[in-house]
Amino acid sequence: MKKHKVSYKLKVFNMNQKSVLKAKREIPYEIRLASQLVLDDLCFTWNKARLEEEINQSIDDNNKEAFNALSKTYNSYIWES
């Protein structure tokens, strides 16, 4: 595993004629990547479930136009290589 990169941000505060240093540590790349992947998966799952509900509703209503439009959108969620 690579060594973590740390950067610090220095700030000067004008309090009692003293300089105060404030260090800020970046979030590690692995944590940012993992959180982005979790959010992407949540959005994907929610959108897929919403489309399934709309497709089922269009089947119940015998609405072929809506079913065809929604099924074309849904194909991108079930496509596998």
Side-chain angles (χ1 to χ4, degrees), residues 39-59:
L39 289 173
D40 288 347
D41 185 52
L42 287 172
C43 291
F44 176 83
T45 305
W46 187 85
N47 287 332
K48 185 177 176 183
R50 185 182 53 82
L51 274 174
E52 287 175 348
E53 290 174 6
E54 290 179 4
I55 288 172
N56 291 336
Q57 185 63 39
S58 67
I59 291 171

Side-chain angles (χ1 to χ4, degrees), residues 10-39:
L10 302 177
K11 286 189 172 185
V12 177
F13 296 96
N14 296 326
M15 297 176 12
N16 300 331
Q17 308 298 335
K18 293 182 180 179
S19 296
V20 179
L21 298 177
K22 182 177 179 183
K24 178 183 174 186
R25 187 177 180 131
E26 290 185 2
I27 298 172
Y29 174 76
E30 292 83 6
I31 293 175
R32 286 187 289 149
L33 178 62
S35 61
Q36 185 65 46
L37 290 173
V38 167
L39 289 173

